[in-house]
Amino acid sequence: MYNFTFTTIGGNTRVHIATGEDIRHLGELDEKMWTVLSCPTTGLEISNESLRIIDTDNDGQIRLDEVVSAANRLCGIVRNPDILLEETDVMNIADFNEENAEAKQMADIAKEVVGDNATVALAQVQAAVAAIAVEQQPMPEAPYPADQIAAVHENEAAYNAWFRAAELEKLGLATADPEQKPKIEEKDWREMTAAIAAYEAKTAEITAANQAAVDAATGKYQPLIQLLLLKRDFYTLLKNYVSFQDFYNRERRADFQAGRLVIDQRACELCVRVADAAKMAAEAAQSGMYLLFCDCINKTQGKKMSIVAAMTQGDIHNLTVGKNAIFYDRNGLDYDAVVTKIIDNPISIRQAFWTPYRKFAEWVSGLINKSVAEKEANSIETLKSDATVATEKAKTEAAEPDKAPQKTPFDIAKFAGIFAAIGMAIGYLGAFCTSVVSGIAMLKWWQFVLVILGIMLCISGPSMLIAYFKLRRRNLAPVLNANGWAINAEAIINLPFGATLTTRAKYPIVKTKDPFAQNTTPTWAKWLIAIACLIVIAGILWLIGGLTWLGL
């Protein structure tokens, strides 16, 4: 049994693929030790052509046995599998294992392409294929213009149905709507459709024959092209399949990382394409990460994509749905991005500390805004009502000038209960404040500080504790699972690693004077205000006996 090298990456022990022999013995690795069991052939930053070569059953998913099969084939073609670690599409002719029949055929074709050169590159083989001239059979002449043929296909079902109904109508079995009658006789229609069908059948036949001729002329080069593609991309796939070596290597990017999102003075490096927005929104919430869903578009090239970006540093008060940003794909192409959905989870312990206060402030602000809006609406309604009453009253007084309005006498008994209730409320409030001040006065200064800290801990402690456990268990697996991956091990994003996935702007210390800075209070005025505040505080402490409590 081959001895693989294991390492701890992302909170899990994983196999480390670092040599050609590791690739040669990949089939001996216990499938339970693979990080991934299946991944899609789309949405990755690896050539789709390379992925289709590995996907031998063409079901759009690359499974473990297909990866092993590709590894075995490659290791049989090359003399030394260490060359697969180069991740290039250039290969030395001497590296072909000519004891293998398939490899010998590839070596012969490579020599044919490059002549006396010692190496063969993918671009050279593709250029040789492009230079092949294959005699093509001419296409038949169309019986009708293209737009007329398109119109026939568009109306074919409706016309055939009407002509069929007309035949049945003669037998008394149906009724053909005269208003839907085609503007062509049935005989002419049948001749036209038959001619078009014959033309299209002949076109398809010649197209297939021409493609077969091209395949016959270029087919011998395809195995070599596939080999060079896999020599370039296969090891990259392994590092993102058998283990997540590229993901946890900050000098590289994993094949599922689509690019970089710049927003709110931060750059998010963990951006993943979204294949199914509804499924992603439902499953990604389990990741424990603060996620930004964005729609991205490059108008100059007409490219669009949807991504989800993980925010792992900073605050969230400027992050809102509808906020604009810039996204750069792996090729450096920029896209206009707009935030369409946010999944709220803790970003940091510091942010979690202020979360209760932020939410309370938002709640209070919402209540105030709601109350002000209601009062404004009520005031407008009251003004309208008063105006209506005043108008009606004026009309009544004008119509009956001798009738004086009756005044309701003031009833002091009616307000006695209200005054008593207000007095009791003020009394209870005063007693409460007195008891609080008395309790504080009995404490020593350090005990008072502990009380304040205890109150803050009671408010922020639960939020910070929950954030701590969530931040330690942030997991990329649900995000990838929503894109069709079968993740076999967690992909933990702990605090130290998360800090590397989002970078913040760092400004140098600036000593220049801002010409548009707001006017500040003079220094002498600041000292005067500070002394006045100290005098007021000292006076309050003297009144409540606080100076004695402090030993002063």
Side-chain angles (χ1 to χ4, degrees):
M1 179 64 70
Y2 182 76
N3 291 323
F4 288 93
T5 301
F6 292 89
T7 184
T8 301
I9 305 178
N12 282 284
T13 300
R14 307 174 195 268
V15 65
H16 186 69
I17 305 298
T19 68
E21 288 303 309
D22 292 339
I23 299 176
R24 189 190 300 276
H25 295 87
L26 207 55
E28 300 176 28
L29 181 64
D30 187 343
E31 64 180 5
K32 297 186 290 297
M33 295 180 179
W34 291 58
T35 299
V36 178
L37 299 177
S38 173
C39 77
T41 57
T42 57
L44 306 182
E45 300 305 321
I46 295 179
S47 166
N48 289 341
E49 190 175 358
S50 298
L51 296 174
R52 284 194 293 268
I53 295 170
I54 302 172
D55 180 23
T56 54
D57 60 2
N58 298 317
D59 67 346
Q61 291 288 127
I62 295 177
R63 292 180 171 78
L64 183 151
D65 59 336
E66 292 174 324
V67 175
V68 172
S69 177
N72 292 339
R73 181 189 176 202
L74 288 172
C75 290
I77 292 174
V78 300
R79 289 183 182 276
N80 183 0
D82 284 342
I83 68 170
L84 301 176
L85 308 182
E86 297 172 0
E87 297 179 274
T88 66
D89 58 14
V90 179
M91 184 170 172
N92 290 321
I93 304 296
D95 286 332
F96 285 95
N97 177 20
E98 297 196 15
E99 295 180 1
N100 180 295
E102 183 181 15
K104 189 176 187 310
Q105 289 179 353
M106 291 184 188
D108 293 340
I109 295 170
K111 293 173 184 176
E112 177 185 324
V113 171
V114 300
D116 296 332
N117 290 343
T119 61
V120 59
L122 177 63
Q124 292 175 302
V125 183
Q126 291 174 331
V129 171
I132 295 175
V134 179
E135 184 178 354
Q136 302 281 296
Q137 296 183 38
M139 292 294 176
E141 184 178 352
Y144 303 100
D147 57 345
Q148 189 172 352
I149 293 175
V152 167
H153 286 309
E154 182 179 352
N155 297 301
E156 188 170 8
Y159 283 16
N160 288 338
W162 195 92
F163 288 128
R164 177 61 178 165
E167 291 177 3
L168 295 175
E169 186 176 32
K170 296 176 182 178
L171 302 175
L173 300 177
T175 301
D177 186 355
E179 294 183 0
Q180 301 296 326
K181 182 180 179 180
K183 297 178 181 180
I184 184 174
E185 295 298 326
E186 183 176 4
K187 179 183 177 182
D188 297 335
W189 171 255
R190 300 301 180 193
E191 290 178 354
M192 178 180 288
T193 54
I196 292 174
Y199 160 73
E200 291 178 341
K202 187 64 176 178
T203 299
E205 178 185 344
I206 294 177
T207 300
N210 287 340
Q211 185 60 49
V214 172
D215 292 343
T218 63
K220 68 176 184 178
Y221 296 95
Q222 294 308 312
L224 180 58
I225 291 175
Q226 292 181 1
L227 171 66
L228 295 176
L229 283 170
L230 292 184
K231 180 179 179 294
R232 182 191 67 192
D233 296 331
F234 187 66
Y235 184 51
T236 302
L237 176 66
L238 293 184
K239 291 186 294 181
N240 295 275
Y241 197 104
V242 181
S243 65
F244 271 6
Q245 290 171 228
D246 278 355
F247 180 53
Y248 291 102
N249 180 358
R250 296 320 306 145
E251 296 180 357
R252 298 178 62 96
R253 286 178 178 171
D255 62 3
F256 49 76
Q257 289 179 260
R260 177 167 54 98
L261 179 72
V262 180
I263 184 172
D264 194 31
Q265 295 190 321
R266 283 166 285 180
C268 302
E269 301 292 341
L270 180 52
C271 300
V272 179
R273 295 175 185 264
V274 175
D276 186 332
K279 186 177 181 181
M280 180 67 76
E283 296 188 20
Q286 304 171 26
S287 68
M289 294 188 290
Y290 189 94
L291 299 175
L292 302 169
F293 287 75
C294 300
D295 285 341
C296 308
I297 181 171
N298 180 284
K299 296 179 181 178
T300 59
Q301 298 193 17
K303 291 185 176 182
K304 296 181 180 180
M305 73 169 74
S306 295
I307 64 164
V308 58
M311 182 67 71
T312 57
Q313 276 202 81
D315 211 333
I316 64 173
H317 63 277
N318 286 330
L319 300 176
T320 58
V321 172
K323 186 177 181 67
N324 293 325
I326 294 293
F327 174 73
Y328 298 92
D329 67 14
R330 294 280 286 265
N331 297 319
L333 185 65
D334 60 280
Y335 295 72
D336 295 322
V338 59
V339 179
T340 57
K341 181 181 178 63
I342 294 177
I343 293 181
D344 192 358
N345 276 306
I347 293 181
S348 65
I349 299 294
R350 183 183 65 82
Q351 180 251 336
F353 175 84
W354 295 108
T355 294
Y357 306 100
R358 174 177 59 84
K359 291 184 177 180
F360 179 74
E362 291 174 353
W363 177 72
V364 171
S365 176
L367 286 180
I368 293 174
N369 292 335
K370 182 180 179 181
S371 177
V372 169
E374 290 177 351
K375 287 182 178 179
E376 182 180 8
N378 291 336
S379 298
I380 293 174
E381 291 299 323
T382 301
L383 287 174
K384 291 180 179 178
S385 177
D386 290 347
T388 303
V389 171
T391 303
E392 295 298 327
K393 183 178 180 181
K395 290 181 180 179
T396 302
E397 290 178 353
E400 302 178 7
D402 298 333
K403 187 176 180 181
Q406 298 181 355
K407 294 184 178 180
T408 304
F410 177 74
D411 187 0
I412 190 170
K414 184 178 180 180
F415 294 93
I418 298 176
F419 294 147
I422 293 174
M424 289 179 65
I426 294 174
Y428 283 130
L429 183 61
F432 172 74
C433 293
T434 302
S435 62
V436 170
V437 172
S438 300
I440 293 174
M442 294 173 62
L443 299 174
K444 296 181 179 180
W445 68 269
W446 58 269
Q447 292 175 324
F448 177 71
V449 174
L450 290 178
V451 168
I452 298 299
L453 292 177
I455 293 173
M456 295 181 69
L457 184 62
C458 289
I459 296 173
S460 299
S463 176
M464 295 172 65
L465 186 63
I466 293 172
Y468 172 74
F469 287 114
K470 278 192 173 183
L471 291 170
R472 291 182 71 249
R473 301 302 303 170
R474 286 182 299 190
N475 186 9
L476 180 63
V479 175
L480 297 179
N481 185 75
N483 270 355
W485 291 62
I487 303 297
N488 195 37
E490 292 182 324
I492 299 299
I493 302 175
N494 57 22
L495 288 170
F497 179 55
T500 68
L501 294 175
T502 300
T503 56
R504 292 186 288 184
K506 294 182 179 179
Y507 295 102
I509 298 175
V510 180
K511 297 182 178 180
T512 57
K513 185 177 180 180
D514 185 357
F516 302 105
Q518 295 183 358
N519 294 329
T520 58
T521 306
T523 304
W524 64 268
K526 293 180 180 178
W527 279 103
L528 185 61
I529 293 171
I531 293 171
C533 291
L534 290 174
I535 292 173
V536 172
I537 293 172
I540 294 173
L541 291 174
W542 178 73
L543 289 174
I544 65 174
L547 296 177
T548 303
W549 172 61
L550 293 172
L552 302 175

